[in-house]
Amino acid sequence: LETVRYFAQIDHPNLVTIEDMGVVMGVPYLIMGYAGEQTLSRRLARGPLGTEEALRTFTQACRGVLALHDRRLVHFDLKPSNIFLKGEVARVGDYGLSKLLTDGRMTLSFGRGTPQYMAPEMLRSRADHRADLYSLGVILFESLTGRAPYASSDGGTLVLREDDSPPDFPADFPERLRPVVTRCLRLDPADRYQDVG
């Protein structure tokens, strides 16, 4: 509850709000604002998005993440199932892995997360807000293609990238978005955009 208290102070149109929290008979609870049952993950199960819809959803997700980063909060588990869609509004939710950054960089230790959306440095338990930029790049690529940018060689979900090559873009991938995705997906956080803005 202490960690979530920081989120409860944020009221942003692209974040799932926390309406109330407390403890009843020793059990902590949260009451979240209703963001709808539709998620980007469910929407992508029907196929890739058109460029306009993908960019609208992506931009709103970025605005929500930026609101977190402005308060030194990092999500660390961005993925399509954590982006809720209601009408034309996208909201980022599920703050289960989020951390408050107190010194700019921090060591992470966690038992969950979704490997194909995780920045490579998270596998080394060392990450900052730029890990969210990596995840956003994966989400944008998947929104437009219906698949993850990098596939694991052994059929598992963990992708260990050996080099910094960009993903294999389909021929119809929007030309102006290729450099955006490529930069978000750089192995070294220093080579990515340094902030969501």
Side-chain angles (χ1 to χ4, degrees):
L1 285 180
E2 277 307 308
T3 304
V4 171
R5 206 170 298 280
Y6 293 104
F7 292 93
Q9 298 167 11
I10 306 174
D11 184 14
H12 189 278
N14 301 121
L15 291 174
V16 177
T17 56
I18 296 173
E19 304 293 338
D20 195 14
M21 64 175 74
V23 179
V24 174
M25 296 171 57
V27 178
Y29 70 88
L30 291 177
I31 298 176
M32 307 290 290
Y34 182 63
E37 295 179 14
Q38 177 78 303
T39 64
L40 181 56
S41 179
R42 287 182 179 176
R43 170 59 191 83
L44 287 172
R46 301 197 312 261
L49 308 181
T51 303
E52 187 178 324
E53 186 182 0
L55 278 178
R56 183 175 63 241
T57 302
F58 177 74
T59 302
Q60 291 183 67
C62 285
R63 288 179 183 145
V65 172
L66 184 58
L68 297 179
H69 289 186
D70 283 346
R71 291 159 180 83
R72 299 182 67 76
L73 293 161
V74 186
H75 194 288
F76 286 131
D77 195 21
L78 292 169
K79 55 189 175 184
S81 60
N82 286 343
I83 298 175
F84 295 84
L85 307 175
K86 195 175 180 186
E88 293 196 348
V89 178
R91 292 182 179 89
V92 174
D94 188 352
Y95 309 122
L97 272 185
S98 303
K99 300 284 184 184
L100 178 69
L101 291 186
T102 52
D103 59 0
R105 281 188 75 77
M106 70 178 310
T107 300
L108 294 174
S109 58
F110 52 86
R112 68 182 193 97
T114 309
Q116 73 187 54
Y117 300 98
M118 284 167 49
E121 66 270 20
M122 288 183 68
L123 302 176
R124 298 189 295 273
S125 296
R126 192 100 178 124
D128 60 19
H129 68 284
R130 294 170 296 183
D132 282 352
L133 282 123
Y134 186 94
S135 302
L136 286 167
V138 175
I139 290 167
L140 180 56
F141 183 93
E142 185 178 359
S143 294
L144 290 162
T145 64
R147 63 175 173 84
Y150 300 103
S152 60
S153 53
D154 60 0
T157 56
L158 193 62
V159 179
L160 295 176
R161 290 176 57 197
E162 300 296 328
D163 61 55
D164 204 17
S165 58
D168 182 21
F169 289 104
D172 61 349
F173 197 94
E175 194 65 43
R176 67 192 172 111
L177 297 180
R178 293 182 188 214
V180 176
V181 169
T182 299
R183 189 165 175 191
C184 285
L185 297 180
R186 295 295 301 271
L187 281 178
D188 187 340
D191 294 330
R192 294 177 204 146
Y193 295 102
Q194 296 303 291
D195 62 75
V196 180

